[in-house]
Amino acid sequence: MIAAAFEYHRPADLKGALGVLAEYGDDARVLAGGHSLIPMMKLRMAAVGHLVDLQDIADLRGIRVADGRVKIGAMTTQHEMIASADLAGAAPIIAEAAVQIADPQVRYMGTVGGNVANGDPGNDMPGLMQCLDATFTLVGPDGSREVAARDFYHSAYVTAREDGEILTQISFAAPKGGYAYEKQKRKIGDYATAACAVQLTKAGGKVTSAAIAMTNLSDTPVFSDAAGAALVGTSGDAAAVKAAVTAAVAAINPTGDNRGPAEFKRHIAGIIIGRAITRALSRA
Amino acid sequence: MNDLTPTPQERTAKLKGLGTSRKRVEDARFTQGKGNYVDDIKMPGMLHGDFVRSPYAHARVKSINADAARALPGVIAVLTAADLAPLNLHWMPTLAGDRQMVLADGKVLFQGQEVAFVVATDRYVCADAIELVEVDYEELPVVTDPFKALEPGAPVLREDLAGQTSGAHGARRHHNHIFLWETGDESATNQAIEAAEVVAEEMIYYHRVHPCPLETCGCVASMDKVNGKLTVFGTFQAPHVVRTVASLLSGIEEHNIRVVSPDIGGGFGNKVGVYPGYVCSIVASIVTGKPVKWIEDRMDNLMATAFARDYWMKGRISATKDGRITGLHCHVTADHGAFDACADPTKFPAGFFHICTGSYDIPVAYVGVDGVYTNKAPGGVAYRCSFRVTEAAYFIERMIEVLAMELGMDAAELRAKNFIRKDQFPYNSALGWEYDSGDYHTAWDKALAAVDYAGLRREQAERVAAFKRGETRKLLGIGLTHFTEIVGAGPVKNCDILGMGMFDSCEIRIHPTGSAIARLGTISQGQGHATTFAQILATEIGLPADSITIEEGDTDTAPYGLGTYGSRSTPVAGAATAMAGRKIRAKAQMIAAWLLEVHDGDLEWDIDRFVVKGAPERFKTMKDIAYAAYHNAIPGIEPGLEAVSYYDPPNMTYPFGAYVCVMEIDVDTGTHEVRQFYALDDCGTRINPMIIEGQVHGGLTEALAIAMGQEIAYDAIGNCKNSTLMDFFLPTAVETPHYTTDHTETPSPHHPIGAKGVGESPNVGGVPAFSNAVHDAFRAFGLRQAHMPHDHWRIWKIANQLGLHG
């Protein structure tokens, strides 16, 4: 459990970080909170010649809420998001999900940017950001571009981010209505057996919008348009919830692991999605 | 007497002796990070060692090329079996009479097995060098299932045993068979069962788990070539045994070996045995003349050092129609892994599993245990229990539940009907044990009353009805256990390890000003010996516990003893402490008599002093006597005040307890919540109630882990699936429920202070209590047996198979 030797870089600004990435190409990796990358390096499953620590880049931290839009710097920790009064007002689902990540020690170090950029299907923030229809800002040698969270994930650890790019910011419209992040895990510190983010609105007794996304049930997070559509226009009655669950479960492709076989996860996913929708409806 | 004279109550309180919830003296250093663990030890010039381990569960090692590793700057040596063979140290004896490869000798037999030992100037270089060692493996067929291992065409695992038709424990009937150990009367048992009105039969599996102490195993070996003395600091639960074994293996005379167990961060049986890391560190130190440190990481610990359990227990139990048990038959298929490295007393290759008649008066019984080799890590240690006693308790407490279903009888009533009665003690069990004392009915009635058992059963019936009406998706389980432990190994006449009798010892030296040091042959790994042994002594010799230092773990200073495991410290070393204390007191009485100018028979002991009978104003305190012992020239009495006792217990002790677990189970998700856990323990005389409570909390939490999620599992090609704490369940405060503790007190009649030991009872009783709660929740739907661990998936599977998911 000792990592191989590596060079450690600690640039003071984004330009410096991009410079190191440009110089060393795929032999360099950025380090955010380190709670995915460092264990992989210690297991010698990841070999990194040049580690580019982003923690001195002040511009990458902080939460700003203005004009109905939420902007979160990539180096903002889970703990900072949980403690943010602004975020609690603008998007309470963030804290509800973040507090279910790992344990306090991990949340003090783990960042939202690392969580979404790493492409680990077990991470909670990618599904949540798809639910919120967030946009990721990627900065590279040729400038900056924006990619929708719903388009970002290709397969496990493979994302739209190019080598040489750094994910700097996450932004989304402050959501309205009811929300829930429901997660089943074996114990504190575990990844989800199944988890689901729901954000929906109601007006005049009818569901007017619904976004449903799931965590650790495929090799990427899964956003289900059909599940949301099954709710919209209904009163959110039992039949509608059931239809939404059926649509959501149809979109996942879980694999068996120590948490249980795929068949079990599919069933648990249905239960967790149903509970998330029901709780979100009760808050709408 | 005047107002300033302390009352007897005040004098007793000042001693902080037996029965006092004295705060743990160890905690000040542990809570401030000032403990001194093996990995804290740094010596000048110290080198570091680490292993190249096998990625395969069964493979031939065709070649090892360490040239690139040796060429790495900082690498001092790379040891392989070929280097150890000339010293005859490439294999080592196990505690179970088998032998184990120190480094792979031609083949590997489990994933994680030690293949080569890299020695380097620092740990980082070691880790890099391990990557550079090229091992050419040829994969061989793997067998991880003990039943398949015994099939005629099964792969031959132990080629070194070819042609050996008998082993340390009798005949071997197959190339992967280790032993068949039997006790009891099989034909009488079969007759009783065949003639019985009701018979229940079930296969009970107690899965493979791991003690997983927070501190992993490790050592620092230091050979001083100038004075010829070898010092080994290590995580040893039995330092004296390690010294003797090291001497026998190395040929170094025992006085030239010093083994030291410093602070130990939990053992739970994992640190009893001898591991290849110790042997390699010692050899490397002898070769290099420098100290060599080896410390496992978590994956090493979980994959390669001793596991626990892995017992397939096939049971048949018979009874009369009205629930009187008439016989018990048990056959165990015991998966020992690649080498038989169980840590059991030599004559008991299945430990004390034959305590499996439990708390019940069963007239006839039989146990047969087949030990089997598989491509899994060796071990089979007593994980927070006496040898194989949790297996036994789980077996009988499941069989009782299955029998209750067969009889259509309440399981609490069935237990009460069959308990050994108070007037039957000392009780001779059908499988040969003499239970020292017990009062099971009193404990049971107290437990059932405390939880309102009848009320719980009513609530459960209402819940089942509501579930069937579709009003709830949660079921309620009531898990019952009445367990009997057998601890304190043990009488030398039948308990030894590699021929070393399982007595223990205490040596006391009283200082002139009335304080003392006592040294014991045991070693605390968190049990609080420095606190509790001082309390035993305080009551025996009348000096305050705060004035008594307890020291253990250094073989150069401590008297010889067999160490700490199997709840043996209080029953054996605790007894030695009391007996040595009594020797001190006997001499003190003669000194007091001389000081008071009376006959020693005219004195009586009074808390902390000897008093002249009928003249309470004439006395000498122990403090007075200590000074006189050294500094008065007393005719006919040697100066000084010291004593030593080696205690060979006449019998084991038999702690017992009654546990009730109330559990809510979510049928849809397989999740659970422990709503209530009531634990009544009877460990005889209670030395420190606070420490007992802490021990019970810790043991119950390990039991929770084992029953509800912890396992070491392998896939079909022998990959260990639980080698990190992501996949190996160690509960945190979040998963740990609230516990209610209670007690009765039935002293051991043969122990000097009546104490029986308690550290392991909660693990022994806790596992069946949690597991029975899961089973009980589904009893109304016909569940008879579902194997542990009861993780979300497996509970979900129970519900699914019972058709509860619609």
Side-chain angles (χ1 to χ4, degrees):
Chain A
M1 294 291 281
I2 289 175
F6 55 85
E7 290 296 321
Y8 178 76
H9 304 266
R10 191 160 162 164
D13 54 30
L14 194 56
K15 190 168 164 243
L18 290 167
V20 180
L21 291 186
E23 186 174 353
Y24 296 103
D26 62 5
D27 197 28
R29 285 282 300 271
V30 298
L31 176 71
H35 278 71
S36 296
L37 183 57
I38 300 287
M40 297 293 274
M41 290 170 65
K42 285 181 157 187
L43 290 166
R44 299 200 175 210
M45 291 166 80
V48 178
H50 294 268
L51 206 52
V52 189
D53 190 339
L54 302 181
Q55 68 173 305
D56 279 355
I57 306 176
D59 290 351
L60 294 181
R61 283 182 192 277
I63 297 162
R64 288 172 292 279
V65 180
D67 305 327
R69 195 129 186 108
V70 179
K71 295 179 179 176
I72 307 175
M75 287 296 286
T76 307
T77 65
Q78 313 291 355
H79 171 73
E80 286 163 349
M81 294 198 296
I82 292 164
S84 165
D86 286 349
L87 211 48
I93 192 172
I94 298 273
E96 180 162 308
V99 83
Q100 297 186 64
I101 294 172
D103 55 55
Q105 285 168 298
V106 171
R107 296 195 294 263
Y108 285 130
M109 293 297 291
T111 65
V112 64
N115 197 293
V116 298
N118 197 37
D120 184 336
N123 286 351
D124 291 280
M125 287 290 154
L128 176 58
M129 292 306 164
Q130 291 193 338
C131 172
L132 291 169
D133 198 11
T135 300
F136 300 154
T137 303
L138 300 167
V139 179
D142 305 324
S144 131
R145 65 183 177 120
E146 310 242 294
V147 178
R150 293 177 188 174
D151 299 328
F152 187 72
Y153 299 96
H154 297 164
S155 62
Y157 304 104
V158 179
T159 66
R161 188 185 62 82
E162 301 286 343
D163 287 344
E165 283 185 323
I166 295 173
L167 191 153
T168 58
Q169 183 178 270
I170 294 153
S171 65
F172 53 87
K176 295 187 174 62
Y179 65 91
Y181 192 79
E182 192 81 28
K183 179 177 181 180
Q184 179 162 334
K185 55 187 175 181
R186 294 172 298 179
K187 57 176 181 177
I188 287 298
D190 195 16
Y191 293 113
T193 303
C196 179
V198 176
Q199 190 80 52
L200 53 77
T201 53
K202 276 180 92 171
K206 301 281 186 197
V207 177
T208 49
S209 72
I212 297 171
M214 293 153 280
T215 294
N216 217 17
L217 290 165
S218 286
D219 68 346
T220 63
V222 175
F223 174 75
S224 173
D225 247 334
L231 286 174
V232 172
T234 73
S235 62
D237 56 307
V241 173
K242 196 175 170 192
V245 168
T246 304
V249 170
I252 61 174
N253 184 24
T255 51
D257 58 22
N258 280 347
R259 293 172 189 84
E263 165 207 16
F264 160 74
K265 289 188 177 180
R266 198 173 281 280
H267 186 270
I268 299 303
I271 300 294
I272 295 301
I273 295 162
R275 287 180 184 178
I277 294 171
T278 304
R279 197 143 53 87
L281 283 167
S282 75
R283 286 164 164 174
Chain B
M1 294 274 187
N2 57 46
D3 289 347
L4 294 175
T5 307
T7 64
Q9 290 78 9
E10 287 165 345
R11 287 192 282 130
T12 301
K14 195 179 168 208
L15 295 181
K16 299 186 187 171
L18 284 185
T20 308
S21 283
R22 181 183 182 220
K23 283 190 178 168
R24 284 166 42 105
V25 298
E26 297 90 342
D27 288 348
R29 73 175 185 277
F30 292 147
T31 55
Q32 294 177 50
K34 298 283 170 63
N36 184 38
Y37 296 92
V38 172
D39 204 15
D40 293 322
I41 294 169
K42 293 178 178 62
M43 299 178 77
M46 187 171 76
L47 303 174
H48 296 259
D50 204 351
F51 286 106
V52 176
R53 293 178 181 276
S54 170
Y56 300 110
H58 195 196
R60 207 163 295 291
V61 176
K62 294 171 75 179
S63 66
I64 300 174
N65 182 349
D67 292 347
R70 288 196 182 96
L72 190 71
V75 172
I76 305 296
V78 180
L79 300 178
T80 64
D83 301 306
L84 299 182
L87 306 167
N88 202 25
L89 286 173
H90 54 321
W91 289 74
M92 62 180 185
T94 70
L95 297 182
D98 194 4
R99 60 190 207 131
Q100 175 176 352
M101 289 180 213
V102 174
L103 291 171
D105 183 21
K107 69 189 290 195
V108 288
L109 289 159
F110 66 95
Q111 188 184 52
Q113 186 178 331
E114 300 82 358
V115 174
F117 190 67
V118 174
V119 183
T121 48
D122 73 49
R123 232 181 143 174
Y124 298 88
V125 173
C126 248
D128 288 343
I130 283 167
E131 301 277 300
L132 298 174
V133 177
E134 293 167 26
V135 185
D136 187 11
Y137 295 100
E138 177 192 329
E139 286 183 73
L140 296 169
V142 170
V143 59
T144 58
D145 176 332
F147 297 98
K148 288 185 178 156
L150 290 180
E151 287 174 0
V156 178
L157 304 191
R158 292 290 300 276
E159 288 164 4
D160 61 299
L161 299 179
Q164 291 192 23
T165 53
S166 71
H169 307 291
R172 300 173 63 227
R173 64 171 188 271
H174 179 280
H175 53 260
N176 294 328
H177 186 240
I178 310 172
F179 60 81
L180 169 62
W181 186 81
E182 296 177 284
T183 191
D185 187 336
E186 184 166 31
S187 70
T189 302
N190 285 336
Q191 280 173 28
I193 291 172
E194 278 154 28
E197 292 168 341
V198 179
V199 178
E201 191 170 333
E202 198 56 70
M203 172 68 92
I204 313 286
Y205 179 47
Y206 197 140
H207 58 300
R208 178 177 280 234
V209 290
H210 194 284
C212 193
L214 285 188
E215 178 205 29
T216 58
C217 298
C219 70
V220 179
S222 177
M223 183 74 205
D224 184 330
K225 289 196 170 179
V226 175
N227 63 18
K229 186 148 183 162
L230 171 68
T231 303
V232 187
F233 300 89
T235 50
F236 307 128
Q237 287 182 242
H240 299 273
V241 176
V242 171
R243 186 185 69 187
T244 299
V245 171
S247 175
L248 292 171
L249 284 182
S250 68
I252 301 171
E253 281 196 88
E254 207 162 351
H255 75 284
N256 275 331
I257 301 177
R258 177 183 172 216
V259 174
V260 183
S261 294
D263 283 330
I264 298 183
F268 313 113
N270 185 240
K271 295 171 179 170
V272 173
V274 173
Y275 293 122
Y278 307 153
V279 177
C280 289
S281 302
I282 291 169
V283 171
S285 181
I286 291 171
V287 170
T288 61
K290 292 189 171 171
V292 176
K293 179 188 274 188
W294 164 72
I295 304 283
E296 289 179 323
D297 68 23
R298 180 62 59 196
M299 292 178 76
D300 296 339
N301 181 252
L302 286 172
M303 288 174 74
T305 48
F307 77 94
R309 331 293 197 234
D310 217 346
Y311 255 36
W312 292 90
M313 303 172 285
K314 176 91 173 165
R316 276 186 297 148
I317 189 167
S318 61
T320 60
K321 270 187 294 195
D322 62 351
R324 181 76 215 161
I325 299 171
T326 58
L328 177 70
H329 187 287
C330 179
H331 177 267
V332 180
T333 302
D335 186 338
H336 285 236
F339 307 97
D340 186 10
C342 285
D344 290 317
T346 304
K347 293 184 186 69
F348 300 99
F352 302 156
F353 181 77
H354 48 309
I355 192 72
C356 66
T357 53
S359 308
Y360 311 102
D361 182 14
I362 300 179
V364 61
Y366 163 82
V367 164
V369 180
D370 273 311
V372 184
Y373 291 124
T374 60
N375 288 121
K376 290 150 84 170
V381 295
Y383 169 8
R384 202 174 184 138
C385 66
S386 195
F387 315 100
R388 300 290 188 185
V389 173
T390 39
E391 289 91 323
Y394 186 64
F395 169 73
I396 186 65
E397 289 303 297
R398 284 296 312 135
M399 290 306 292
I400 289 284
E401 293 282 320
V402 172
L403 178 62
M405 280 188 83
E406 199 74 42
L407 288 161
M409 185 185 273
D410 179 84
E413 185 192 340
L414 177 61
R415 285 181 172 86
K417 194 162 209 159
N418 288 284
F419 282 147
I420 299 161
R421 294 186 319 274
K422 187 180 178 182
D423 60 78
Q424 287 177 281
F425 290 95
Y427 170 83
N428 290 294
S429 80
L431 293 174
W433 298 114
E434 184 189 308
Y435 290 36
D436 60 347
S437 64
D439 184 356
Y440 301 164
H441 284 100
T442 298
W444 194 238
D445 293 346
K446 190 176 180 182
L448 297 186
V451 300
D452 182 19
Y453 179 66
L456 284 172
R457 284 288 175 211
R458 277 194 301 277
E459 185 188 348
Q460 185 186 43
E462 286 160 16
R463 180 71 68 85
V464 169
F467 183 88
K468 287 179 174 170
R469 290 194 302 268
E471 293 164 12
T472 180
R473 296 296 291 163
K474 284 190 176 174
L475 293 172
L476 185 69
I478 304 161
L480 302 175
T481 288
H482 191 288
F483 66 92
T484 297
E485 259 253 79
I486 171 170
V487 306
V492 173
K493 64 179 184 281
N494 56 12
C495 288
D496 69 88
I497 287 183
L498 296 177
M500 291 173 260
M502 295 179 75
F503 58 84
D504 227 290
S505 58
C506 176
E507 194 177 275
I508 304 169
R509 186 178 300 169
I510 310 291
H511 306 315
T513 52
S515 64
I517 183 166
R519 297 188 173 101
L520 294 90
T522 45
I523 176 68
S524 183
Q525 306 123 41
Q527 291 89 342
H529 290 178
T531 308
T532 50
F533 286 132
Q535 290 183 254
I536 293 175
L537 212 46
T539 296
E540 291 292 340
I541 66 174
L543 294 176
D546 290 344
S547 300
I548 302 169
T549 296
I550 300 292
E551 214 179 77
E552 304 173 298
D554 184 337
T555 58
D556 265 9
T557 55
Y560 202 95
L562 269 278
T564 294
Y565 44 85
S567 281
R568 66 184 300 281
S569 298
T570 294
V572 190
T577 304
M579 298 307 273
R582 286 170 197 183
K583 289 182 185 176
I584 295 280
R585 212 162 83 186
K587 183 172 179 183
Q589 185 164 1
M590 300 195 331
I591 296 167
W594 184 82
L595 292 170
L596 290 162
E597 299 179 345
V598 295
H599 188 272
D600 58 0
D602 295 329
L603 293 174
E604 60 188 3
W605 177 250
D606 178 32
I607 303 169
D608 56 358
R609 62 194 59 185
F610 280 104
V611 177
V612 176
K613 286 177 189 168
E617 73 287 356
R618 294 189 63 205
F619 63 83
K620 287 291 171 188
T621 66
M622 202 64 190
K623 199 171 158 76
D624 301 332
I625 295 164
Y627 197 84
Y630 285 93
H631 301 303
N632 292 30
I634 304 173
I637 299 179
E638 278 184 14
L641 194 51
E642 296 186 10
V644 57
S645 171
Y646 281 76
Y647 188 79
D648 178 10
N651 190 5
M652 313 283 188
T653 61
Y654 296 75
F656 60 94
Y659 292 177
V660 183
C661 172
V662 183
M663 190 184 282
E664 297 271 358
I665 287 181
D666 184 324
V667 169
D668 291 322
T669 59
T671 55
H672 72 274
E673 183 196 343
V674 176
R675 190 174 88 182
Q676 182 182 6
F677 199 106
Y678 170 89
L680 179 153
D681 275 284
D682 191 321
C683 58
T685 302
R686 290 155 56 83
I687 298 166
N688 182 322
M690 185 189 71
I691 284 188
I692 291 171
E693 192 178 15
Q695 288 274 27
V696 172
H697 285 188
L700 287 176
T701 303
E702 282 181 325
L704 170 88
I706 292 167
M708 305 310 293
Q710 190 172 93
E711 67 175 325
I712 295 288
Y714 295 84
D715 69 12
I717 56 166
N719 292 309
C720 178
K721 293 163 69 178
N722 316 82
S723 59
T724 74
L725 294 185
M726 175 63 80
D727 287 310
F728 184 85
F729 177 40
L730 272 195
T732 69
V734 175
E735 290 85 16
T736 303
H738 178 77
Y739 303 118
T740 304
T741 56
D742 202 348
H743 67 279
T744 54
E745 194 161 336
T746 312
S748 168
H750 64 75
H751 187 279
I753 62 166
K756 289 186 168 185
V758 74
E760 303 175 329
S761 293
N763 197 325
V764 171
V767 172
F770 287 112
S771 180
N772 280 345
V774 174
H775 285 88
D776 185 69
F778 293 100
R779 179 173 151 139
F781 302 92
L783 178 69
R784 263 174 76 113
Q785 176 62 25
H787 298 319
M788 297 188 289
H790 305 299
D791 57 10
H792 298 170
W793 167 53
R794 289 177 176 93
I795 290 180
W796 177 88
K797 194 166 69 171
I798 295 169
N800 198 260
Q801 289 175 346
L802 292 173
L804 302 183
H805 291 147

